[in-house]
């Protein structure tokens, strides 16, 4: 899908001016994240998502949608009511990020470019997870330099603990240049399955514009072993076109330029309907894969949306607790 030409925002794009700009942007992000997210992890640590851990916890009555593999048969037999065994997340969490930096991410008509939101989301996740000896690592897909739909260039960043190492990981992600073409998102996600890693949190950050049949199965496979969070980055111009007359649009992955007559209401309606169907297919595929789904927009307060998401996940986790 072609995109309207984006306005570059050097003050928000860490890869534009090199290391100095990267450090300044990451420092600003760290301050923003610390102010809003500190306090969300107070109390017993139980992970970012309400997924199961590996330590046995208390039992509670079965509810529709619970994983039947966690049935507590002794309690069920004793009470004659079906019960499931709750589990507590490991004290040391290992988080892996699959970061998609295809050319379509180098676009934005809101307050941020999409790639800026990707880096910001990675910074927030690092802050939320890298404490108490937790480790965080990443694989970064930078697109297909040849532009022929290949696997593209992949940057591997091993999982390490400590805030200093997490900042180094963020600098590497922020400093990765966006290359022409689209990386294979399915292949990128598969890198989190190979080699097999200890159970933890897997986060996929992308605009998910690749066909769902390309990445749906790898995410389902990832869900067998890990709690999975999919962060979808969206720009408002990907959802609807403004009425601004003739609008030049360019496909960021092929470089093809087109002129679109946005004054045509039928064209705007068809575009909006197509975009809505595309986003619905993405949501359906992620839900079917069992992944938690967070949508961040370039024209909204992404940090506030993330805070609300984390709070909702925590509430969902504790709602059925037996006291």
């Amino acid at each position: 899908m072609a995109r309207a030409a984006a306005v570059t925002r050097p003050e928000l794009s860490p890869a534009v001016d090199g290391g100095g700009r990267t450090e300044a942007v990451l420092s600003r992000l760290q301050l923003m994240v610390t102010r809003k997210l500190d306090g969300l992890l107070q109390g017993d640590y139980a992970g970012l998502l309400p997924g199961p851990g590996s330590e046995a916890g208390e039992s509670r009555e079965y509810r529709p949608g619970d994983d039947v593999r966690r049935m507590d048969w002794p309690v069920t037999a004793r009470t004659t009511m079906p019960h499931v065994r709750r589990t507590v997340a490991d004290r040391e969490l290992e988080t892996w990020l699959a970061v998609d930096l295809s050319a379509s991410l180098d676009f934005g008509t809101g307050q941020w470019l999409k790639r800026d939101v990707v880096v910001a989301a990675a910074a927030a996740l690092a802050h939320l997870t890298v404490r108490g000896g937790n480790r965080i690592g990443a694989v970064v897909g930078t697109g297909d330099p040849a532009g022929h739909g290949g696997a593209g260039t992949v940057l591997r960043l091993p999982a390490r603990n400590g805030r200093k190492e997490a900042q180094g990981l963020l600098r590497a992600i922020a400093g990765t240049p966006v290359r022409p073409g689209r990386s294979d998102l399915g292949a990128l996600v598969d890198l989190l399955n190979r080699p097999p890693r200890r159970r933890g949190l897997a986060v996929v950050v992308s605009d998910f514009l690749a066909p769902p049949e390309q990445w749906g199965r790898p995410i389902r496979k990832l869900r067998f072993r890990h709690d999975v969070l999919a962060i979808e980055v969206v720009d408002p111009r990907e959802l609807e076109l403004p009425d601004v007359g003739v609008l030049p649009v360019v496909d960021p992955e092929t470089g093809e330029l087109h002129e679109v007559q946005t004054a045509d209401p039928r064209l705007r309606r068809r575009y909006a309907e197509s975009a809505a169907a595309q986003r619905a297919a993405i949501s359906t595929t992620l839900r079917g894969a069992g992944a938690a789904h967070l949508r961040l927009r370039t024209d909204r307060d992404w940090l506030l949306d993330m805070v609300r998401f984390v709070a909702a996940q925590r509430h969902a986790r504790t709602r059925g607790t037996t006291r």
Side-chain angles (χ1 to χ4, degrees):
M1 183 183 294
R3 300 285 181 264
V7 177
T8 302
R9 306 176 191 278
E11 71 279 7
L12 296 175
S13 301
V16 173
D17 292 332
R21 178 65 64 185
T22 298
E23 292 297 329
V25 171
L26 290 180
S27 296
R28 177 186 172 195
L29 279 174
Q30 184 66 24
L31 182 60
M32 293 168 58
V33 167
T34 300
R35 284 178 174 175
K36 284 199 175 182
L37 295 187
D38 264 356
L40 287 181
L41 294 182
Q42 298 302 319
D44 289 340
Y45 177 76
L48 177 61
L49 295 178
S54 60
E55 299 178 8
E58 59 190 5
S59 294
R60 63 169 174 80
E61 288 189 9
Y62 172 85
R63 297 173 182 230
D66 285 339
D67 189 345
V68 296
R69 294 174 297 181
R70 303 193 179 279
M71 293 292 295
D72 191 335
W73 296 113
V75 175
T76 297
R78 187 169 61 251
T79 63
T80 71
M81 294 289 293
H83 278 67
V84 291
R85 172 67 68 178
R86 298 183 67 249
T87 53
V88 180
D90 292 330
R91 291 290 168 176
E92 291 185 3
L93 177 71
E94 184 167 288
T95 299
W96 278 91
L97 310 179
V99 181
D100 178 16
L101 286 181
S102 297
S104 62
L105 274 297
D106 202 18
F107 169 81
T109 62
Q111 181 182 359
W112 295 62
L113 299 180
K114 291 200 309 185
R115 70 159 290 137
D116 297 330
V117 177
V118 168
V119 175
L125 287 164
H127 180 79
L128 282 168
T129 59
V130 62
R131 57 178 66 195
N134 297 336
R135 295 181 295 276
I136 185 169
V139 292
V140 185
T142 59
D144 177 16
H148 299 306
T153 302
V154 174
L155 175 65
R156 298 172 183 263
L157 303 168
R160 296 193 174 100
N161 60 359
R163 293 194 176 275
K164 181 179 179 181
E165 287 72 17
Q167 284 298 107
L169 179 141
L170 293 175
R171 282 194 295 270
I173 295 175
T176 300
V178 172
R179 301 178 184 274
R182 169 164 292 281
S183 60
D184 187 333
L185 182 58
L188 186 67
V189 173
D190 261 337
L191 292 177
L192 300 187
N193 286 313
R194 303 192 309 269
R197 298 180 172 92
R198 61 173 293 181
R199 181 178 176 84
L201 173 64
V203 184
V204 183
V205 189
S206 175
D207 54 13
F208 291 95
L209 293 182
E213 54 269 20
Q214 180 194 99
W215 47 262
R217 183 180 177 86
I219 290 183
R220 285 196 300 273
K221 182 180 177 182
L222 192 64
R223 183 65 181 86
F224 287 145
R225 186 170 180 81
H226 304 283
D227 295 327
V228 179
L229 168 61
I231 299 182
E232 178 190 5
V233 181
V234 181
D235 186 84
R237 293 290 74 81
E238 295 172 330
L239 304 178
E240 60 183 7
L241 288 175
D243 183 359
V244 292
V246 177
L247 178 68
V249 295
V250 61
D251 188 327
E253 296 176 3
T254 65
E256 294 183 8
L257 179 66
H258 305 274
E259 290 188 347
V260 179
Q261 178 52 267
T262 62
D264 184 349
R266 292 173 300 178
L267 182 144
R268 297 199 307 274
R269 184 177 63 253
R270 290 197 304 269
Y271 183 93
E273 291 172 351
S274 176
Q278 181 186 45
R279 297 299 164 179
I282 293 171
S283 296
T284 299
T285 303
L286 291 173
R287 185 168 58 251
H293 181 197
L294 169 61
R295 180 174 291 168
L296 301 179
R297 294 176 51 130
T298 62
D299 61 339
R300 288 173 54 95
D301 185 340
W302 61 268
L303 191 50
L304 180 59
D305 287 340
M306 181 166 280
V307 168
R308 288 171 174 167
F309 173 82
V310 173
Q313 296 292 306
R314 295 299 171 80
H315 176 70
R317 187 191 66 236
T318 59
R319 185 171 49 196
T321 301
T322 301
R323 296 186 181 277

